[in-house]
């Protein structure tokens, strides 16, 4: 599996928001990353 095609800055922001190491972000399958981001967004919407 090849790493995600995202910039280093984007990877750092994603790692910070998901509380995971940047290496895990870069090697995470795209569909799992999208699911994690959707879950994070839902949590943020519920807390607002």
């Amino acid at each position: 599996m090849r790493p995600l095609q995202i910039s280093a800055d984007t990877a750092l922001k994603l790692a910070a928001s998901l509380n995971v190491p940047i290496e895990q972000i870069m090697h995470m399958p795209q569909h799992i990353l999208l699911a994690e981001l959707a879950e994070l967004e839902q949590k943020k919407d519920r807390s607002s």
Side-chain angles (χ1 to χ4, degrees):
M1 180 185 322
R2 45 177 244 225
L4 292 173
Q5 299 298 307
I6 57 176
S7 69
D9 188 47
T10 301
L12 287 171
K13 289 178 183 178
L14 288 170
S17 64
L18 294 174
N19 294 324
V20 295
I22 191 168
E23 295 85 10
Q24 187 174 344
I25 292 289
M26 293 305 293
H27 295 287
M28 187 179 290
Q30 186 174 3
H31 68 280
I32 294 176
L33 178 60
L34 292 175
E36 292 285 332
L37 290 173
E39 183 179 324
L40 182 66
E41 189 66 28
Q42 286 178 350
K43 287 180 184 177
K44 188 167 62 168
D45 286 346
R46 283 188 219 138
S47 66
S48 297

